[in-house]
Amino acid sequence: EDGKVLLNSLNQNTKICAIIPFYNEKDFLFDVVKETLNFVDNVIAVNDGSTDGSEETIINMERVQVISLSHNYGKGFALQTGFNECIKHNYTAVITLDADKQHEPAYIPNFIFLLNSFDVVIGNRLNNTKDMPIQRILSNAITSLLLTLKTGKKIMDSQCGYRAYKSDVLKRVKSFSSGYEAESEMIIYCSRANFTIGFVNISTIYGDEKSK
């Protein structure tokens, strides 16, 4: 089902935006954006200082806004730039996913559906770690445990960037870290603000790309 239909109980005038930050993802970006557009109203693609011409692959796509940063600030900064733009355009909900094809856009309706019950929904890759590199399993397990202890909430996958937020969350919670730590920071701040956090099981595709 279309994500807009699933979210109708939240708002009859639902508008859903996806934020896709990217840095040198010329090989994957077009396909990720094209598939994501099947499930959302618009895509905001934040070019975090790419040097490989990634942005040229999507610059003329309909319903896609490209924001190009002057240099490589980091994923956290790119995400917050996208969040600020979404707030200006009064979107009901925001999806965040990576540009390297590790996150399947087909899961977007699952995230949107759970926003009927939670303020924030985070992808959980740890239900099936068969193809996940061991260093990522260990890093994620340790960080998730630390955040569980810090927030008092069960955090199943702290490092997954595939997420959904109600817009009210983004109006009240902002990250200040410029790198990947911003995603853990958002969990802490959302918890402190008493927003509810849910998880949805997803699969993640690990190919030849290098982890950033």
Side-chain angles (χ1 to χ4, degrees):
E1 287 188 72
D2 189 294
K4 289 196 295 182
V5 175
L6 293 171
L7 200 60
N8 272 347
S9 63
L10 289 178
N11 189 326
Q12 293 299 315
N13 299 310
T14 295
K15 288 173 59 181
I16 302 171
C17 178
I19 297 174
I20 303 177
F22 66 94
Y23 175 65
N24 292 343
E25 296 292 356
K26 188 175 183 178
D27 293 339
F28 307 115
L29 182 62
F30 176 82
D31 290 341
V32 172
V33 171
K34 182 180 179 182
E35 188 172 351
T36 299
L37 285 169
N38 292 324
F39 306 102
V40 301
D41 294 289
N42 299 94
V43 167
I44 295 176
V46 184
N47 177 16
D48 191 22
S50 296
T51 57
D52 67 344
S54 298
E55 69 281 1
E56 298 299 327
T57 66
I58 61 169
I59 198 71
N60 294 316
M61 294 179 73
E62 293 184 5
R63 298 189 289 129
V64 176
Q65 177 184 355
V66 179
I67 299 175
S68 289
L69 304 179
S70 60
H71 63 274
N72 182 224
Y73 286 90
K75 187 181 183 184
F77 187 94
L79 282 172
Q80 190 59 57
T81 300
F83 292 154
N84 293 341
E85 191 68 16
C86 285
I87 291 170
K88 286 198 298 186
H89 292 284
N90 295 314
Y91 286 101
T92 311
V94 175
I95 300 288
T96 65
L97 68 161
D98 292 346
D100 59 4
K101 272 194 170 180
Q102 284 196 18
H103 299 153
E104 294 185 54
Y107 283 104
I108 289 175
N110 301 32
F111 283 82
I112 298 302
F113 179 76
L114 280 179
L115 281 184
N116 290 295
S117 302
F118 299 96
D119 299 310
V120 181
V121 179
I122 300 173
N124 175 32
R125 302 161 296 174
L126 299 183
N127 64 304
N128 183 358
T129 59
K130 178 170 62 75
D131 297 319
M132 183 181 287
I134 186 64
Q135 67 271 21
R136 296 193 188 189
I137 296 173
L138 292 174
S139 172
N140 205 338
I142 292 169
T143 306
S144 297
L145 174 60
L146 292 174
L147 285 179
T148 295
L149 295 173
K150 187 173 184 65
T151 63
K153 302 178 186 294
K154 177 61 177 176
I155 305 301
M156 301 174 71
D157 188 342
S158 66
Q159 296 180 1
C160 185
Y162 200 171
R163 301 181 178 188
Y165 298 90
K166 291 179 182 176
S167 59
D168 288 345
V169 174
L170 301 177
K171 291 174 184 176
R172 290 180 52 192
V173 177
K174 299 185 185 300
S175 64
F176 299 96
S177 300
S178 59
Y180 281 83
E181 63 272 20
E183 289 172 324
S184 293
E185 187 181 23
M186 287 293 286
I187 292 175
I188 294 171
Y189 291 158
C190 287
S191 178
R192 287 179 180 172
N194 292 318
F195 287 117
T196 55
I197 301 173
F199 291 85
V200 58
N201 290 339
I202 63 168
S203 61
T204 303
I205 303 166
Y206 291 100
D208 297 327
E209 74 286 339
K210 294 181 180 180
S211 174
K212 298 184 180 68

